[in-house]
């Protein structure tokens, strides 16, 4: 019997699709990587009985990067990254062993059906999966096609079954356009980022950003924010005057009239108009008009509009909104959320989608009324040829979804119902008055038919007081005529919604990448998100953009990136050659890079005005081992130590606190040690600033602290404080934290595992002897008499943390609470005790002798 392998983009999607196609009769097992499951069932494929294996990847299988030596910032000239530096595809997440997993599942299969998301990124992942699987699949000797592509827009029974019955082929051109974008962004972004990061962080201490990044899309995005900031700063308020008249007729309410001239900027002229109008005894009705007007229902919903509304009305950042939309899609609540299309396909079942909402308590009445009187034909929007617009796929309640997921789902559903509702109709009445020679008007709106505003009440026509009934020639008595002095106001900072509109208009990024670019400029500390989700550029963001304008405005203007996006779209359509577009674009940016490097002094002049030089930043902390003077600790990102006498800068571990470590010195270079800590619930370890930046032994890497140092005799090194192999990760060693008493702990020097032990012990030290059972180093513990938990009121004991029964109840495994979100573990949740859930450490620290002697 033949086997069909089917691959989706996410584990949850694979499960949903397998359940639909197997009608619920399937068996499930975990894959070898632990992250992806394999769902198996029997069925028919191309007229024969086959065994189906449905599994998934977790996003991209591979990522593009430079080969090893070109990732060293210190040894490679950034200019080489444009052409000389070779790139390679590496596993996007090596821990998942995705290639190995796909090959294990693909071995012996006869067909493959690709259920990746139906966009350009999805097509690219299709070919990443094929590269891994095709070499191990059974070879087909007939002309029969073995590779199939499923095209779908939602996780519904109808859509999935239709996709299975109409299988196509993956699109090589769309995949190539993604490869081109990846390579351009990597080469251009890395070259500019490395150069400007090294140049400016070597000179200034308070930039407060660990990376001075440049991106072909990211930088124009920042440019829009700074352009608005510059308009605000250069704005000069100007006084103007408005004439306001109030009139009434007998006992009716007073009407406030608007001046037809709107405003004048000359006070004397305004005073003249005031005197003329004050001479009039009454206001005469010159004309009365009533017009029926229409407020159009919205177009079908695409990604950009969804992100705009999520930011402006729901207060969600674009990145957050996109993550929620993707989760709603994988759970089957909405259709695919990445689309540029605002036009429903001709065969789209509008009534079927609407019927699903007929019993929803929030809008059942509106939906039933619509179904009874017949739905309105949606407006004709743009058909971009990708996915149908975003629509609800099944009914849901607030209790079911909760929080932001419900708010976004509610908006998507209300928007969908509005697109098939009727337009809002209202009557606009305008009365024109003459007060002396000056003309004034007064208008009001009366709703005739609310239409779609029933379901989108925030767009409803506001209720206004009705205007009095009158005819041409009627007169109104003048209550008052006055002159109002006002000032022109500057524009406000861009909202995320306005920025998304600008990016879409100028072709910066795609519907998928727009949220990423906005998130990047926030994370790099180039802009901050203020109230109302307005983006205010920081000093660093402003100086960078002004610097680009000074050197080469095309680096920050949207024009050049927009042209590149058009070329990439031509690759996707098969109308442009991948290599030609790549070479041409890289050649342009290579020339721009060389000019930028030669002209960097222009940007530096702006930096000097806004930021402090390294020597004038920070506070004295520890002594330099070369000149024995105090080095300054610069706390702003990236935190580092700077010796102004030697003019040397030493990087430090980030996202934690640094303090002096007991004025102890490194035996290798005489630098004073500092202590890094991620907080009371996290890890801490000492490090030598010089060794951290210049590895003393061949078996060490740059960026290692004393807890990974292989010095054979230093009291702070791994050799002296290492206890045993980590209970969770493969390469880590649990190292005693000598500063943690009386709440003693040992921490893994690779992952975020922490083992708390011997609370209130007076002294804990690592013995030179090893455990006979597990080869971990023994620990000598000395308790105070009054607080000793040892049997028989003993105060001292020596034994193995993992094997000694006396220590069994005194050991508790936790995960470090790291400051950086990347390292967020389960933060203090108990995970087990004793031997670390039965895993035995495989030996003490690093038993190998260091290859080098002391420097």
């Amino acid at each position: 019997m033949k086997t069909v392998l089917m691959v989706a983009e996410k584990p949850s999607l694979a499960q949903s699709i397998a359940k639909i196609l197997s009608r619920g009769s399937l068996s499930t097992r975990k894959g070898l990587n632990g992250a992806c499951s394999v769902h198996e069932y029997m069925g028919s494929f191309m007229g024969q009985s086959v065994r189906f294996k449905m599994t998934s990847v977790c996003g991209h299988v591979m990522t593009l990067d430079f080969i090893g030596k070109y990732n060293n910032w210190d040894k490679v000239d950034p200019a080489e990254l444009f052409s000389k530096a070779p790139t390679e595809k590496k596993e996007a997440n090596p821990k998942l062993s995705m290639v190995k997993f796909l090959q294990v599942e693909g071995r012996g299969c006869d067909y493959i059906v690709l259920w990746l998301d139906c966009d350009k990124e999805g097509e690219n992942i299709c070919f990443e999966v094929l590269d891994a699987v095709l070499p191990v699949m059974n070879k087909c000797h007939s002309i029969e096609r073995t590779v199939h592509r499923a095209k779908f827009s939602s996780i519904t029974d109808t859509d999935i079954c239709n996709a299975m019955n109409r299988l196509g082929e993956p699109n090589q051109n769309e995949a190539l356009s993604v490869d081109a974008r990846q390579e351009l962004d990597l080469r251009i972004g890395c070259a500019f980022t490395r150069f400007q990061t090294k140049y400016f962080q070597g000179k200034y201490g308070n930039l407060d950003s660990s990376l001075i990044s440049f991106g072909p899309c990211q930088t124009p995005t920042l440019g829009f924010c700074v352009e608005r900031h510059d308009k605000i700063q250069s704005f000069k308020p100007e006084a103007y005057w408005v004439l306001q008249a109030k009139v009434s007729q007998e006992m009716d309410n007073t009407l406030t009239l608007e001046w037809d001239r709107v405003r004048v900027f000359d006070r004397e002229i305004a005073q003249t108009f005031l005197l003329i109008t004050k001479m009039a005894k009454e206001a005469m009705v010159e004309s009365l008009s009533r017009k029926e007007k229409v407020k159009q229902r919205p177009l079908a919903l695409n990604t950009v509009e969804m992100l705009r509304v999520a930011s402006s009305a729901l207060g969600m950042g674009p990145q957050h909104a996109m993550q929620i939309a993707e989760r709603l899609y994988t759970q089957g609540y909405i259709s695919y959320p990445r689309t540029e299309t605002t036009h429903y396909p001709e065969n789209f079942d509008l009534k079927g989608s609407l019927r699903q909402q007929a019993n929803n308590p929030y809008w059942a009445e509106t939906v039933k009324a619509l179904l009874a009187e017949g739905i309105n034909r949606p407006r004709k929007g743009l058909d971009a040829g990708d996915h149908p617009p975003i629509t609800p796929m099944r009914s849901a309640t607030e209790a079911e979804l909760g929080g932001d997921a419900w708010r976004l789902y509610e908006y998507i559903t209300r928007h969908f119902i509005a697109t098939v509702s009727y337009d809002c109709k209202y009557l606009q009445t305008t009365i024109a008055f003459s007060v002396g020679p000056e003309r004034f008007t007064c208008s009001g709106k009366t709703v005739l038919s609310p239409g779609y505003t029933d379901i989108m009440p925030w767009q409803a026509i506001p209720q206004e007081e009705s205007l009095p009934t009158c005819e041409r020639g009627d007169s109104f008595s003048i209550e008052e005529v006055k002159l109002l002095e006002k000032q022109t106001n500057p524009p406000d900072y861009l909202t995320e919604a306005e920025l998304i509109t600008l990016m879409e208009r100028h072709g910066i990024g795609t519907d998928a990448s727009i949220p990423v670019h906005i998130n990047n400029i926030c994370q790099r500390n180039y802009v901050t998100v203020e109230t109302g989700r307005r983006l205010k550029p920081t000093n660093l963001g402003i100086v960078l953009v002004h610097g680009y304008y000074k050197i080469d405005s095309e680096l920050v203007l949207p024009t050049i990136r927009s042209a590149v996006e058009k070329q990439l779209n031509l690759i996707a359509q098969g109308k442009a050659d991948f290599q030609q577009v790549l070479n041409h674009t890289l050649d342009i940016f290579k020339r721009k890079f060389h000019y930028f490097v030669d002209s960097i002094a222009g940007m530096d002049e702006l930096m000097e005005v806004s930021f402090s030089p390294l020597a004038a930043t920070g506070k004295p902390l520890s002594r330099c081992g070369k000149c024995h003077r105090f080095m300054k600790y610069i706390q702003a990102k990236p935190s580092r130590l700077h010796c102004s006498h030697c003019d040397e800068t030493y990087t430090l571990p980030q996202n934690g606190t640094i303090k002096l470590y007991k004025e102890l010195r490194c035996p290798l270079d005489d630098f004073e040690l500092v202590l890094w800590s991620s907080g009371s619930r996290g890890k801490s370890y000492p490090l030598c600033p010089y060794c951290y930046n210049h590895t003393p032994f061949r078996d060490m890497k740059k960026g290692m602290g004393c807890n990974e140092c292989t010095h054979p005799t230093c009291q702070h090194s791994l050799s002296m404080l290492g206890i045993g192999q980590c209970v969770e990760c493969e390469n880590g060693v649990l190292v005693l934290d000598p500063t943690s008493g009386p709440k003693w702990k040992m921490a893994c020097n690779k992952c975020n595992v922490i083992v708390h032990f011997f609370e209130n012990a007076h002294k804990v030290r690592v013995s030179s002897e090893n455990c006979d059972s597990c080869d971990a180093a023994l620990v000598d513990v000395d308790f105070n008499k009054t607080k000793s938990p040892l049997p028989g009121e003993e105060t001292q004991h020596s034994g193995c943390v993992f094997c000694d029964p006396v220590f069994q109840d005194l050991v508790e495994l936790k995960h470090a609470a790291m400051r950086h979100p990347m390292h967020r573990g389960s933060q203090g949740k108990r995970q087990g005790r004793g031997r670390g859930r039965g895993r035995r450490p495989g030996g003490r620290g690093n038993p190998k002798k260091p290859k080098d002697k002391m420097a």
Side-chain angles (χ1 to χ4, degrees), residues 518-534:
I518 296 175
N519 191 50
N520 279 345
I521 61 171
C522 296
Q523 286 195 329
R524 297 282 183 263
N525 195 31
Y526 293 162
V527 298
T528 55
V529 183
E530 305 290 308
T531 49
R533 299 210 68 84
R534 294 192 177 275

Side-chain angles (χ1 to χ4, degrees), residues 684-703:
S684 58
Y685 57 84
L687 63 111
C688 162
Y690 190 82
C691 294
Y692 189 81
N693 289 271
H694 308 89
T695 52
F697 304 114
R698 280 196 203 124
D699 53 357
M700 287 177 66
K701 289 179 183 172
K702 190 175 175 181

Side-chain angles (χ1 to χ4, degrees), residues 41 49 60 102 122 210 262 405 419 440 447 629 697 724 734 749 797:
Y41 62 96
S49 291
H60 273 283
L102 287 170
S210 48
V262 184
T419 61
F440 292 81
V447 176
R629 288 177 169 86
F697 304 114
L734 292 167
N749 58 9
H797 187 76

Side-chain angles (χ1 to χ4, degrees), residues 357-425:
Q357 304 294 335
N359 295 318
N360 192 301
Y362 299 93
W363 39 75
E365 284 183 26
T366 309
V367 170
K368 282 174 182 171
L370 257 179
L371 288 167
E373 65 181 286
I375 62 169
N376 192 12
R377 191 177 175 82
R379 286 170 61 196
K380 189 168 176 61
L382 167 78
D383 184 1
D386 51 356
H387 285 268
I390 305 165
T391 51
M393 299 316 296
R394 67 175 205 241
S395 185
T397 61
E398 187 172 3
E400 204 176 321
L401 297 176
D404 287 348
W406 163 251
R407 290 165 65 227
L408 189 62
Y409 171 84
E410 182 188 16
Y411 168 69
I412 290 167
T413 308
R414 285 183 181 276
H415 190 108
F416 165 68
I417 298 168
T419 61
V420 292
S421 298
Y422 290 84
D423 291 339
C424 169
K425 291 177 183 174

Side-chain angles (χ1 to χ4, degrees), residues 103-157:
Q103 288 179 339
V104 166
E105 297 304 334
R107 185 165 279 112
C109 289
D110 301 280
Y111 305 99
I112 182 166
V113 181
L114 299 155
W115 289 86
L116 284 308
D117 288 353
C118 301
D119 56 12
K120 288 172 190 165
E121 295 290 335
E123 295 303 322
N124 191 262
I125 302 171
C126 281
F127 287 92
E128 292 174 356
V129 170
L130 291 176
D131 287 343
V133 172
L134 285 180
V136 296
M137 281 174 60
N138 290 342
K139 298 285 179 282
C140 179
H141 300 294
S142 65
I143 55 164
E144 198 176 24
R145 190 154 55 90
T146 56
V147 177
H148 301 270
R149 174 75 164 109
K151 295 273 184 181
F152 58 102
S153 297
S154 60
I155 313 302
T156 58
D157 295 18

Side-chain angles (χ1 to χ4, degrees), residues 124-300:
N124 191 262
I125 302 171
C126 281
F127 287 92
E128 292 174 356
V129 170
L130 291 176
D131 287 343
V133 172
L134 285 180
V136 296
M137 281 174 60
N138 290 342
K139 298 285 179 282
C140 179
H141 300 294
S142 65
I143 55 164
E144 198 176 24
R145 190 154 55 90
T146 56
V147 177
H148 301 270
R149 174 75 164 109
K151 295 273 184 181
F152 58 102
S153 297
S154 60
I155 313 302
T156 58
D157 295 18
T158 314
D159 213 12
I160 296 301
C161 293
N162 284 344
M164 192 67 187
N165 294 331
R166 291 200 292 264
L167 295 173
E169 292 181 51
N171 188 323
Q172 176 96 50
N173 291 327
E174 287 191 358
L176 280 174
S177 75
V178 174
D179 282 337
R181 180 182 280 109
Q182 284 178 353
E183 189 164 341
L184 289 174
D185 289 352
L186 176 75
R187 290 186 183 277
I188 297 165
C190 284
F192 278 92
T193 299
R194 288 187 193 182
F195 171 72
Q196 59 189 29
T197 300
K198 286 188 74 177
Y199 186 88
F200 292 121
Q201 284 183 351
K203 292 190 75 170
Y204 303 102
N206 57 341
L207 297 174
D208 203 23
S209 180
S210 48
L211 206 65
I212 316 297
S213 66
F214 174 93
C217 287
Q218 174 194 304
T219 305
T221 303
L222 174 62
F224 291 130
C225 300
V226 175
E227 185 184 5
R228 176 62 64 88
H229 167 84
D230 291 343
K231 282 180 182 172
I232 294 168
Q233 295 303 307
S234 61
F235 185 85
K236 289 189 175 79
E238 204 177 343
Y240 65 90
W241 288 265
V242 175
L243 208 55
Q244 189 187 73
K246 288 187 178 178
V247 299
S248 64
Q249 190 181 40
E250 296 169 4
M251 300 299 289
D252 282 349
N253 292 335
T254 304
L255 294 179
T256 302
L257 309 184
E258 291 176 4
W259 193 22
D260 277 14
R261 292 185 195 273
V262 184
R263 60 186 179 180
V264 291
F265 286 89
D266 188 307
R267 186 189 173 94
E268 288 182 11
I269 292 173
Q271 290 284 6
T272 308
F273 283 126
L274 178 66
L275 290 170
I276 293 170
T277 49
K278 277 198 165 180
M279 288 165 68
K281 297 285 186 288
E282 54 189 11
M284 299 293 291
V285 176
E286 291 290 320
S287 65
L288 179 72
S289 71
R290 288 190 180 90
K291 279 184 184 172
E292 192 177 299
K293 291 201 169 183
V294 168
K295 189 173 183 180
Q296 280 194 314
R297 62 201 180 283
L299 286 167

